[in-house]
Amino acid sequence: VRPVESGGGSVQAGGSLRLACAGSGSAYDWNYSCVGWFRRGPGAEREGIAIIDSDANTLYAESVKGRFTISRDNANNTLSLQMDTLKPEDTAMYYCAAHPRLLFSLLVSDFDYWGQGTQVTVSS
């Protein structure tokens, strides 16, 4: 599983963006992986913001709950993050990540496979 992100950009506060992640590798590996979105803001540590497992169970960080929606399309090996009501503090490099285990948490250390990241900038 090798994730590749797309869809970042610049937007004003209150706006929306949709990120996409394409998973290369076997469909079997992707479908049975837990996948998620992480971000690293300026001067901050990388943090988990949303994950979805193979049964479509989701988990969100409090900072994005109610504003961001994670979804996956196993038929096309893709993962999405719909980001609404964006705030300047959402400015960060966003990463897609995956792991094949039954762990279900937002911990960065749980995830094995990482994309290169896509930049999101929210201006006030």
Side-chain angles (χ1 to χ4, degrees), residues 19-56:
L19 304 183
C21 174
S24 62
S26 77
Y28 179 89
D29 289 341
W30 177 264
N31 291 347
Y32 287 91
S33 292
C34 179
V35 290
W37 290 96
F38 296 74
R39 68 185 182 188
R40 179 162 57 197
E45 298 286 326
R46 191 175 300 195
E47 61 172 347
I49 56 170
I51 62 170
I52 183 168
D53 69 7
S54 57
D55 292 323

Side-chain angles (χ1 to χ4, degrees), residues 34-114:
C34 179
V35 290
W37 290 96
F38 296 74
R39 68 185 182 188
R40 179 162 57 197
E45 298 286 326
R46 191 175 300 195
E47 61 172 347
I49 56 170
I51 62 170
I52 183 168
D53 69 7
S54 57
D55 292 323
N57 297 302
T58 59
L59 179 65
Y60 294 92
E62 287 298 320
S63 59
V64 305
K65 195 176 292 183
R67 301 188 297 122
F68 291 10
T69 304
I70 189 171
S71 60
R72 68 190 297 169
D73 180 352
N74 287 342
N76 293 296
N77 281 24
T78 58
L79 175 71
S80 298
L81 184 70
Q82 177 66 39
M83 305 186 294
D84 298 318
T85 320
L86 282 160
K87 304 175 181 179
E89 50 264 43
D90 294 318
T91 294
M93 184 70 79
Y94 283 71
Y95 300 89
C96 175
H99 72 71
R101 296 178 296 282
L102 295 176
L103 300 170
F104 189 64
S105 82
L106 293 168
L107 289 175
V108 170
S109 57
D110 284 351
F111 287 76
D112 304 313
Y113 307 104
W114 293 86

